[in-house]
């Protein structure tokens, strides 16, 4: 007989922006690193190599690390240097503009993973009077907003006191330490 999985169900929402730019940025950082290694005996090469690695870390943290998913009773918003676990039952408002924003227990949490581009925002403002309100079948952003609202309402109906539970924030200490360490090494490489 099989045992039920102890892991809660996970529903991931894919990013609507930034991934292509992130991969291009990583490619550029690798190119600069390769050029610095190739000319290692030049005066600027060690500083350029450290700057390339720092750039790759920042590109990864800003454009590729952020994610949004639902895990059990929490909406998880992973940002550059921290992750917020927001109880679904505590969510009272969800909005998608250029970023996803949720309000829970009076606090606002945002994620750049789900959002409209500037072009989409301007186009929607121009056509606002003529067009019907977009639905989940029209845009992925509306689907994500409605899905989070639905799951939050469902969790509130189930009760259990989860609405009173505070959101939990964890920091990405490896990324923070690596960034701080690389900045120190870059300063030393430039000054020496």
């Amino acid at each position: 007989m099989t045992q039920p999985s102890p892991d809660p169900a996970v529903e991931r929402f894919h990013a609507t922006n930034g991934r292509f730019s992130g991969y291009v940025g990583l490619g550029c950082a690798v190119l600069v690193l390769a050029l610095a290694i190739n000319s290692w005996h030049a005066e600027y090469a060690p500083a350029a190599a450290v700057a390339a690695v720092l750039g790759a870390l920042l590109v990864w943290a800003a454009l590729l690390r952020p994610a949004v998913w639902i895990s059990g009773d929490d909406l998880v918003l992973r940002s550059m240097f921290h992750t917020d676990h927001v109880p679904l039952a505590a969510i009272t408002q969800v909005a998608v503009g250029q970023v996803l924003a949720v309000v829970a227990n009076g606090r606002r949490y945002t994620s750049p993973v789900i959002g409209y581009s500037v072009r989409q925002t301007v186009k929607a403002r121009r056509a606002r009077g003529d067009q019907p309100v977009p639905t989940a079948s029209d845009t992925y952003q509306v689907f994500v907003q409605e899905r989070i609202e639905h799951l939050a309402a469902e969790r509130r109906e189930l009760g259990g006191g989860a609405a009173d539970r505070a959101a939990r924030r964890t920091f990405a200490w490896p990324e923070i330490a690596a960034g701080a360490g690389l900045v120190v090494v870059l300063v030393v490489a430039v000054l020496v």
Side-chain angles (χ1 to χ4, degrees):
M1 179 174 215
T2 61
Q3 295 291 330
S5 173
D7 297 331
V10 174
E11 182 175 349
R12 293 191 177 275
F13 300 109
H14 70 79
T16 57
N17 51 29
R19 297 294 188 216
F20 179 75
S21 301
Y23 292 123
V24 169
L26 284 181
C28 290
V30 167
L31 180 64
V32 169
L33 180 62
L35 291 171
I37 290 171
N38 190 38
S39 59
W40 191 254
H41 297 294
E43 180 181 343
Y44 63 87
V50 174
V53 174
L54 179 61
L57 174 71
L58 292 175
V59 165
W60 178 80
L63 298 174
L64 299 175
R65 184 181 188 276
V68 174
W69 69 91
I70 293 174
S71 179
D73 290 331
D74 290 341
L75 173 66
V76 182
L77 304 168
R78 187 170 66 191
S79 296
M80 281 180 69
F81 297 115
H82 64 80
T83 302
D84 293 319
H85 298 263
V86 182
L88 283 167
I91 295 174
T92 56
Q93 186 178 4
V94 180
V96 178
Q98 286 188 323
V99 297
L100 168 68
V102 297
V103 176
N105 295 327
R107 285 202 58 203
R108 185 171 186 253
Y109 302 91
T110 61
S111 174
V113 174
I114 307 295
Y116 293 102
S117 67
V118 174
R119 183 183 60 81
Q120 289 173 315
T121 304
V122 169
K123 184 178 174 184
R125 283 187 184 151
R126 283 187 192 153
R128 189 165 281 159
D130 306 1
Q131 306 259 336
V133 176
T135 63
S137 62
D138 296 329
T139 67
Y140 183 70
Q141 292 88 338
V142 173
F143 167 76
V144 171
Q145 178 178 347
E146 290 179 358
R147 181 70 178 145
I148 293 170
E149 289 170 343
H150 170 75
L151 290 172
E154 187 178 84
R155 293 306 191 286
R156 278 192 302 275
E157 288 175 10
L158 293 174
D164 299 333
R165 190 166 48 99
R168 182 172 42 96
R169 176 171 280 184
T170 57
F171 290 95
W173 291 114
E175 289 85 351
I176 293 169
L182 285 168
V183 166
V184 169
V185 171
L186 180 60
V187 168
V188 169
V190 168
L191 294 178
V192 172

